[in-house]
């Protein structure tokens, strides 16, 4: 889609750019491509935070638009006005636990919101040449693995939470618009991300936050569920490559080849935190608390990312231990960011909600 496809890219829409992954993608594109205009569209839910982009918000090639992707007519107006040539769609409700307590919000944002963007792109892109609608998705659409095996691009979809079902649905719609209307699309499905600016509802920042504040670390079930973790900047690098070099209509899996049982990951984080906070070894582990399991908790996710590695030359750059330490350092150095996102009704929502096993 870019220069190496012979196209002079101009205005790119990034949705959800004020969120965790989106802010890393926006930052990368604004800094690396000064000749692109990057429009960050986000309606700033609890997970969206303009403080994630303070360092680049005054760059001349960056613009923020506060808008809700569920407003279909508004999306058409904005596509008409800005004449976006590329879309990187990240805006979504993203937390599985919230999808269990409030599925409708996920259906509304993740499915309807995506269709609104597809419609706006289809209506504006009379000539689809040189355009690209890039949908960012998750490995959770493939369901859950047993002790062995991996998710491939060809693995049948088998989503099992309202979150993953809403993302699977949006993936299907993106593909349907490609087949039916010839909309130029690409999709990537990535494993669990971690790193700076992640809202402390997800496992890693929640654990760091709780240890720092001497609060219990809630481990769902026995802590034996397995996730494949990838540093967020490695995901942003993959998104950059796919946006520019992917073949239209293709799907790419992105993963860290880095599987961890939750309890082992939490114990590693405890060790790093004890060291960083100068606390006696074992202090943080005392905070571990086994709580009632998540409903329908997927056992294991593991990605085979050979396709993007072979076809586009991507690979993760960081060792997990180094990425985790970098992440811990960032959270400890950015206490005011954490204080800000945990003010308001955070405590009501995330604390005291666990039942001990
Ligand atoms: P996030 O929750 O941190 O950010 C989501 C962003 O979308 C927020 O800025 C929020 O304000 C915005 N948003 C939500 N509803 C909106 C609406 N109706 N209109 C406009 N903006 C809206 O999420 P994240 O972890 O950065 O994930 C980004 C994308 O990547 C999601 O599509 C998610 O499914 C996907 N993904 C996430 C992971 C992960 O580990 N976090 C892994 C694979 C894929
Ligand atoms: P999470 O970060 O919510 O990501 P996802 O559910 O999308 O994989 O959770 C990662 C794993 O950690 C998952 O197996 C659920 C578990 N978990 C806990 O044990 N305790 C927690 O407090 C949270 C948030 C998650």
């Amino acid at each position: 889609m870019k220069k190496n496809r012979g196209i002079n890219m101009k205005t790119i829409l990034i949705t959800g750019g004020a969120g965790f992954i989106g802010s890393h993608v926006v930052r990368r594109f604004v800094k690396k491509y000064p000749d692109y205009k990057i429009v960050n569209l986000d309606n700033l839910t609890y997970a969206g935070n303009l403080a994630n982009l303070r360092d680049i918000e005054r760059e001349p090639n960056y613009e923020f638009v506060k808008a809700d992707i569920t407003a279909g007519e508004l999306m058409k107006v904005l596509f008409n006005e800005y004449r976006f040539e590329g879309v990187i769609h990240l805006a979504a409700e993203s937390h599985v636990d919230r999808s269990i307590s409030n599925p409708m919000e996920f259906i509304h944002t993740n499915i309807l919101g995506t269709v609104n963007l597809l419609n706006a792109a289809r209506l504006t892109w009379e000539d689809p040449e040189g355009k690209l609608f890039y949908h960012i998705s998750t490995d959770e659409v493939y369901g859950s693995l047993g002790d062995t095996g991996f998710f491939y691009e060809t693995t049948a979809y088998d989503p099992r939470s309202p979150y993953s079902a809403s993302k699977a649905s949006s993936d299907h719609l993106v593909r349907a618009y490609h087949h039916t209307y010839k909309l130029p699309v690409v999709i990537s499905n990535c494993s669990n991300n971690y790193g700076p600016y992640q809202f402390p509802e997800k496992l890693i920042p929640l654990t760091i936050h709780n240890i720092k504040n001497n609060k219990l670390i809630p481990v769902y079930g026995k802590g034996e569920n397995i996730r494949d973790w990838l540093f967020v900047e490695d995901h942003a690098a993959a998104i950059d490559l796919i946006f520019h070099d992917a073949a239209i209509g293709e799907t790419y899996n992105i993963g860290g080849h880095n599987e961890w049982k939750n309890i082992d990951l939490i114990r590693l984080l405890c060790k790093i935190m004890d060291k960083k906070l100068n606390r006696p070894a074992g202090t943080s582990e005392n905070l571990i608390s086994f709580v009632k399991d998540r409903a329908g908790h997927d056992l294991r996710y593991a990605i085979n990312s050979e396709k993007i590695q072979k076809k586009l030359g991507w690979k993760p750059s960081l060792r997990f231990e180094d990425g985790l330490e970098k992440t811990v350092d960032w959270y400890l150095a950015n206490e005011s960011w954490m204080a800000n996102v945990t003010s308001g009704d955070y405590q009501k929502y995330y604390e005291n909600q666990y039942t001990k096993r």
Side-chain angles (χ1 to χ4, degrees), residues 54 183 233 242 275 306 357:
R54 282 286 174 260
L183 196 75
E233 286 176 19
I242 290 171
K275 203 172 72 191
E306 248 170 56
R357 281 180 70 226

Side-chain angles (χ1 to χ4, degrees), residues 85-347:
E85 278 145 297
V87 177
I88 306 178
H89 173 39
L90 297 110
E93 287 293 338
S94 68
H95 194 211
V96 174
D97 292 329
R98 281 184 176 250
S99 83
I100 294 169
S101 52
N102 192 3
M104 281 316 286
E105 219 172 335
F106 285 68
I107 306 308
H108 202 58
T109 297
N110 298 359
I111 305 178
L112 187 68
T114 301
V115 178
N116 285 337
L117 293 167
L118 289 167
N119 281 336
R122 180 167 83 85
L123 293 174
T124 327
W125 294 349
E126 278 145 20
D127 176 11
E129 187 60 30
K131 313 286 196 302
L132 184 67
F133 189 106
Y134 178 8
H135 180 56
I136 306 300
S137 192
T138 166
D139 61 353
E140 301 188 25
V141 298
Y142 298 120
S144 179
L145 292 164
D147 293 337
T148 57
F150 294 93
F151 297 137
Y152 294 81
E153 285 82 358
T154 48
T155 302
Y157 275 31
D158 182 23
R160 294 147 48 103
S161 73
Y163 164 66
S164 55
S166 70
K167 292 296 292 187
S169 177
S170 59
D171 289 7
H172 287 321
L173 284 156
V174 171
R175 289 196 183 98
Y177 272 61
H178 175 60
H179 289 290
T180 310
Y181 306 111
K182 309 292 171 236
L183 196 75
V185 308
V186 68
I187 298 178
S188 58
N189 298 83
C190 188
S191 63
N192 287 60
N193 284 215
Y194 71 98
Y197 300 109
Q198 187 168 31
F199 191 81
E201 63 183 352
K202 306 276 168 49
L203 180 65
I204 289 178
L206 181 97
T207 302
I208 295 171
H209 174 65
N210 285 14
I211 293 175
K212 173 85 193 345
N213 295 291
N214 285 309
K215 293 191 167 140
L216 293 178
I217 305 164
V219 181
Y220 299 169
K222 293 181 182 156
E224 284 176 351
N225 304 67
I226 292 172
R227 298 291 182 264
D228 172 356
W229 294 93
L230 179 69
F231 192 63
V232 62
E233 286 176 19
D234 280 332
H235 188 189
I239 290 173
D240 184 353
L241 265 180
I242 290 171
F243 182 73
H244 289 108
D245 297 344
I248 300 292
E250 289 289 310
T251 293
Y252 298 83
N253 279 354
I254 308 168
H257 212 74
N258 178 41
E259 291 178 51
W260 283 78
K261 250 186 204 168
N262 291 340
I263 190 65
D264 296 338
L265 162 53
I266 289 167
R267 291 208 167 103
L268 173 60
L269 257 182
C270 286
K271 283 201 185 77
I272 297 176
M273 289 294 285
D274 282 347
K275 203 172 72 191
K276 298 280 174 189
L277 296 170
N278 291 317
R279 293 177 178 172
T283 308
S284 301
E285 276 207 24
N286 285 330
L287 296 169
I288 289 177
S289 171
F290 291 93
V291 300
K292 188 167 175 285
D293 209 352
R294 172 186 282 172
H297 198 169
D298 286 343
L299 177 66
R300 175 171 166 258
Y301 303 144
I303 278 274
N304 176 298
S305 61
E306 248 170 56
K307 179 174 174 183
I308 184 173
Q309 303 213 16
K310 286 203 174 128
K311 298 235 172 191
L312 303 181
W314 173 88
K315 64 174 181 350
S317 70
L318 271 185
R319 261 180 11 114
F320 186 53
E321 288 77 358
D322 298 336
L324 258 194
E325 193 160 335
K326 208 169 150 170
T327 302
V328 167
D329 286 342
W330 185 87
Y331 280 100
L332 295 180
N334 287 276
E335 281 183 16
S336 60
W337 182 92
M338 186 61 99
N340 185 33
V341 300
T342 54
S343 63
D345 59 6
Y346 176 86
Q347 296 201 353

Side-chain angles (χ1 to χ4, degrees), residues 24-43:
H24 288 274
V25 176
V26 166
R27 176 175 295 99
R28 184 182 178 97
F29 273 67
V30 165
K31 285 187 168 172
K32 192 169 164 195
Y33 303 108
D35 51 337
Y36 295 175
K37 175 169 181 174
I38 304 300
V39 178
N40 169 16
L41 185 154
D42 199 300
N43 73 338

